[in-house]
């Protein structure tokens, strides 16, 4: 067993100016040299993943075995097409942002209210355009009601929803503070 072998090598995103075949050829070389065990991709659209898998098949190259998409109650698009495709093709899904960058924790009540200082949307305001919508604020309120009815936290229920979705292999959780993990 080599100690300098990566278990999973993930592409962080698509390279629109590089044909996927070229990327896969370079990665395939690393797999066959023993430096990488498994290939994965993050933030690929379903179409890009399908094109990559087709290119790997057509040219006998190592295929992606893992994908890392964002997935939460506030960003559930992968549930309808990406996750079923991954199940059919035996591609593990390592989803991230199950709390929608903290949006589903309940600390944001509506787009009209001020963003609490020190929160993710205060520090990285670019994420707010992804999650701050009327529909998502309604989801937060329904989640808050359900949490109160069941005596559970909003965080626990939002995470459980992601865990319970068919095709989810694992969930990545990011925390900026130790208290977030608690």
């Amino acid at each position: 067993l080599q100690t300098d072998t990566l278990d999973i090598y993930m592409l962080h995103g698509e390279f629109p100016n590089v044909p996927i075949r070229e990327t896969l050829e370079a990665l395939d070389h690393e797999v066959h040299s023993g430096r990488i065990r498994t290939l994965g991709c993050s933030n690929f659209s379903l179409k890009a993943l399908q094109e990559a898998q087709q290119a790997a098949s057509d040219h006998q190259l190592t295929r992606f075995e893992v994908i890392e998409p964002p997935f939460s109650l506030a960003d559930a698009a992968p549930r309808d097409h990406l996750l079923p495709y991954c199940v059919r093709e035996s591609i593990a899904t390592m989803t991230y942002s199950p709390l929608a960058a903290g949006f589903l924790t309940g600390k944001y009540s509506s787009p009209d209210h001020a963003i609490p200082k020190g929160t993710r949307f205060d520090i990285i305001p670019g994420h707010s355009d992804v999650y701050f919508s009327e529909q998502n604020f309604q989801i937060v309120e329904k989640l808050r009601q359900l949490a109160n009815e069941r005596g559970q936290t909003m965080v626990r229920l939002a995470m459980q929803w992601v865990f319970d979705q068919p095709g989810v292999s694992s969930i990545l959780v990011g925390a900026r503070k130790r208290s977030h993990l608690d």
Side-chain angles (χ1 to χ4, degrees):
L1 183 68
Q2 287 182 259
T3 58
D4 58 346
T5 301
L6 295 174
D7 288 328
I8 302 174
Y9 186 92
M10 303 282 291
L11 294 181
H12 185 68
E14 300 172 37
F15 297 102
N17 297 326
V18 179
I20 191 63
R21 178 181 174 185
E22 287 181 28
T23 301
L24 290 173
E25 285 171 345
L27 293 172
D28 184 73
H29 175 74
E30 296 303 308
V31 169
H32 289 290
S33 72
R35 288 187 281 272
I36 297 172
R37 287 194 183 103
T38 303
L39 296 181
C41 59
S42 181
N43 302 306
F44 270 48
S45 66
L46 173 58
K47 181 181 177 191
L49 177 61
Q50 289 170 324
E51 288 172 0
Q53 300 303 71
Q54 188 63 53
S57 176
D58 290 348
H59 303 286
Q60 287 109 34
L61 301 169
T62 305
R63 70 185 203 111
F64 291 128
E65 293 183 42
V66 181
I67 188 167
E68 181 187 5
F71 186 53
S72 69
L73 278 165
D75 184 7
R79 181 176 60 175
D80 295 330
H81 303 288
L82 180 65
L83 291 177
Y85 173 78
C86 290
V87 168
R88 283 191 310 274
E89 298 298 319
S90 298
I91 302 168
T93 55
M94 190 165 44
T95 63
Y96 73 91
S97 203
L99 300 176
F103 181 78
L104 296 172
T105 63
K107 62 181 131 188
Y108 308 99
S109 57
S110 80
D112 301 332
H113 291 94
I115 294 173
K117 291 289 181 204
T119 62
R120 181 178 298 252
F121 294 110
D122 177 47
I123 296 168
I124 308 171
H127 280 108
S128 63
D129 64 343
V130 174
Y131 299 113
F132 282 36
S133 70
E134 187 59 38
Q135 178 182 352
N136 281 341
F137 279 107
Q138 290 173 6
I139 288 170
V140 167
E141 285 312 307
K142 288 178 185 176
L143 186 61
R144 188 184 319 278
Q145 291 170 5
L146 189 60
N148 289 334
E149 289 170 13
R150 295 194 177 176
Q152 298 287 331
T153 65
M154 292 173 67
V155 168
R156 182 180 179 98
L157 292 177
M159 295 278 293
Q160 189 63 51
W161 182 85
V162 174
F163 270 122
D164 288 345
Q165 297 306 304
V168 172
S169 306
S170 65
I171 297 174
L172 297 174
V173 178
R176 288 185 303 109
K177 301 176 185 175
R178 186 179 184 99
S179 62
H180 290 166
L181 294 174
D182 295 336

